[in-house]
Amino acid sequence: MPLEEDVELKEIIRKNALLNAARHDGKAQAGPVIGKILAEKPELKTKVKELSVLINKIVEEVNKLTQSEQRKIIEEKWPEALTREEKTEGEKRLPPLPNVEKCGKVVTRFSPNPDCVLHLGSARAIILCHEYARMYKGKFILRFEDTDPKLKKPVLEFYDRIREDLTWLGCKPDEEYIQSDRIPIYYEHAEKLLRESNAYICTCQPEVFRKKIIANQPCKCRNLPPEEHLTRWQHMLKGDYKEGEAVLRVKTDLQHPNPAVRDWPALRVIDSKKYPHPRVGSKYHVWPLYNFACGIDDHLMGITHIIRGKEHLTNMIRQEYMYKHFGWEYPEAIHYGRLKITGASLSKSKIVQGIREGLYKDWDDPRLATFAALRRRGITPEAIKKLIIDVGPKTSDVVLSWENLYAYNRKILDPAVDRYFFVQDPIELTVKRIPKTFKAKLNLHPEHPERGFREYVIKPPGEDDSVKFWITKRDAADAKAEELVRLMELFNIKIENVSSYSAEARFVSEAYEDAKKVKARLIHWILVGEDMPCQVVMPDATTIEGIAESACKGLKPNAIIQFERFGFVRIDKVNKKLTAYYAHK
Ligand SMILES: [Zn+2]
């Protein structure tokens, strides 16, 4: 019976297409539906072509319906399936944000200093801020905080690299600001604070000021009239003070238990001839400090929810004084705990130093936890996103391992990527007494025959009926004498002898059942002549040389594949030699 006439089958396809559509904004995808049907009815594997045609047709019909029409059909026919689907979909949502009602539209921001590329340590801030903005149909802002041309000097190339990283992560900002473009705004606010006696220009020696503040006492500048401070401010702007000679301080509470909160510094002088800014050069020599610029911008940009690490708690307390001076309301602040990844160096200064000293070749060196390096290795942004959302914004510290991230990535890649053979540490295996010509048809994915296959013809040349293969030295060494071994998807052999450079075996039988009966090991192989050299760059930057099957010539750079019994890799270059970067097992 043609599948087209199988009413029961068509109904199952329709159900799966509708459920798939429900998960993808009303647009079902044929691939996953084919996968589901084959899992349910493996006997159809022999009719994949016909099945695909039928499924494509039904998916097309389903996609013509509106979402509410689709939903109605599911509710009527398979209400139970829908609740099950909803449950699995709902398990990974973030907890709600506080006080969303009163702010109208949720606005979040990610505010990096472009003095380094981004790494995994930033993932939590980026993904939570972006995800919450999406969840409430709000706005996600990227703000470059580049106001320290001396100690945290921004670098032009990193502005673009950060934008690229965000795009790759799927967290494209709705708006972008650069603080070095906004210096006049900060000056204006500084002046207002001075005029209203809520800030002052302190010209004390740092040590003198420190002693006073520790003793809860004002320095000699604090209580001078605002006119004096406005004059000092003009001198500051004109460049009459050198570095360290004048600081604008925001008045807080001299009795505050934390000395770091008392009258914190807001703007200071930087010798911009000596330390020019990469974007605005030597135009300004009064630069805002972190708490001042960030605090003002959060208000002016309408940030409703600040989501950041709990190391910023003191900054909130500092900024709240300034907000009070201006009569502003402080945004909701969520301070999550630290996220540590064991074995990953997340120190910016160490990364920068390593690059400068030549320890790392570039920002995507596989030893680094930069997004560039993760991308090069085939770690997907979806895996990073899922991991971060599962961890959520909780305040307790979280320690993760690379293996945690790999587990998320594996779950995404395993069903999605094609599989090929790669022989590490190859040894030549001669298989004798092959009785006939064999055709090995290797599916690109065992559960998805519809994705296609590659085919190798194993044709014994005549007299000695032998054929040469590459197998790994380890597989050859592990085979005990007279043990049955199966060359995957091909035939069963017995390895007769193994030397350091070659091995010999004889053909035994073709049937998979023979191998299954004795629990024979399945080993992968590459036909000599159907091979290409391949280098795999490992996470510790060492390389593994080996042989890939010739079908890999058709791969494109950036493709992520699985080398069977070896691991997931991202294809980096395809020339006469294949270069791949290792992701994980
Ligand atoms: Zn002073």
Side-chain angles (χ1 to χ4, degrees), residues 20-308:
N20 189 271
R23 261 173 287 145
H24 296 100
D25 298 326
K27 294 288 167 232
Q29 295 155 351
V33 178
I34 296 173
K36 281 237 169 183
I37 301 298
L38 286 177
E40 221 168 298
K41 294 181 166 293
E43 68 275 12
L44 291 178
K45 281 188 186 172
T46 53
K47 297 184 177 174
V48 169
K49 259 198 187 147
E50 198 187 342
L51 181 67
S52 304
V53 173
L54 182 61
I55 288 178
N56 278 324
K57 199 176 130 200
I58 295 175
V59 163
E60 220 170 277
E61 286 166 13
V62 163
N63 288 348
K64 275 184 194 147
L65 303 172
T66 65
Q67 268 175 279
S68 59
E69 284 169 337
Q70 290 170 349
R71 201 178 167 85
K72 213 172 142 213
I73 301 172
I74 306 172
E75 276 167 356
E76 275 168 16
K77 289 193 166 173
W78 312 284
E80 186 268 343
L82 192 64
T83 49
R84 206 174 50 221
E85 288 283 322
E86 278 174 350
K87 262 183 211 151
T88 52
E89 281 300 293
E91 69 193 356
K92 282 161 216 111
R93 303 233 53 185
L94 289 168
L97 284 176
N99 290 322
V100 166
E101 328 68 53
K102 73 168 192 194
C103 63
K105 187 176 185 177
V106 168
V107 183
T108 62
R109 47 82 170 166
F110 171 60
S111 42
N113 182 346
D115 62 342
C116 186
V117 297
L118 297 179
H119 58 64
L120 208 44
S122 308
R124 205 171 186 190
I126 300 168
I127 290 166
L128 290 178
C129 289
H130 178 265
E131 206 59 21
Y132 273 122
R134 289 293 158 273
M135 192 166 141
Y136 291 104
K137 299 196 177 3
K139 193 161 73 177
F140 171 60
I141 290 176
L142 168 64
R143 184 171 76 216
F144 288 107
E145 297 194 338
D146 58 344
T147 62
D148 186 349
K150 186 177 175 182
L151 295 177
K152 294 178 176 173
K153 195 181 173 75
V155 178
L156 276 185
E157 69 163 310
F158 296 143
Y159 294 79
D160 271 338
R161 284 185 182 266
I162 288 171
R163 290 180 188 116
E164 265 169 45
D165 284 342
L166 291 187
T167 306
W168 176 72
L169 273 172
C171 299
K172 246 188 141 158
D174 302 304
E175 274 172 27
E176 182 191 296
Y177 297 92
I178 303 179
Q179 285 188 330
S180 54
D181 285 341
R182 300 168 57 79
I183 303 300
I185 298 174
Y186 307 127
Y187 287 177
E188 205 181 291
H189 285 82
E191 233 171 279
K192 188 170 190 313
L193 287 175
L194 291 171
R195 219 179 299 125
E196 291 168 2
S197 277
N198 287 320
Y200 57 98
I201 309 283
C202 174
T203 55
C204 299
Q205 296 271 340
E207 194 46 35
V208 174
F209 178 83
R210 209 181 63 87
K211 275 189 186 143
K212 283 281 180 192
I213 210 82
I214 295 279
N216 306 92
Q217 286 168 4
C219 73
K220 62 178 172 41
C221 321
R222 195 184 205 255
N223 295 323
L224 295 172
E227 295 72 34
E228 167 63 20
H229 290 301
L230 286 166
T231 312
R232 287 185 182 184
W233 173 243
Q234 289 312 318
H235 285 301
M236 217 171 148
L237 292 179
K238 268 197 276 171
D240 298 340
Y241 293 110
K242 290 200 191 69
E243 272 187 24
E245 287 181 353
V247 178
L248 186 146
R249 293 186 174 276
V250 172
K251 285 188 188 172
T252 66
D253 179 359
L254 292 181
Q255 306 307 317
H256 194 281
N258 182 358
V261 172
R262 298 174 203 156
D263 289 11
W264 49 270
L267 295 108
R268 73 337 196 165
V269 176
I270 287 180
D271 182 346
S272 55
K273 293 274 182 302
K274 205 165 152 194
Y275 306 103
H277 190 282
R279 292 186 71 252
V280 294
S282 306
K283 190 170 171 189
Y284 306 108
H285 43 262
V286 175
W287 285 92
L289 282 141
Y290 171 76
N291 278 296
F292 188 71
C294 164
I296 287 175
D297 280 348
D298 281 344
H299 174 77
L300 296 182
M301 293 170 192
I303 306 298
T304 61
H305 291 77
I306 299 171
I307 303 160
R308 64 184 168 195

Side-chain angles (χ1 to χ4, degrees), residues 474-485 493-498 504 521:
R474 174 107 191 239
D475 277 338
D478 283 354
K480 292 185 200 82
E482 291 302 295
E483 183 199 359
L484 194 73
V485 172
I493 58 170
K494 274 187 179 165
I495 294 186
E496 291 173 330
N497 61 67
V498 181
E504 279 186 345
R521 284 184 317 121

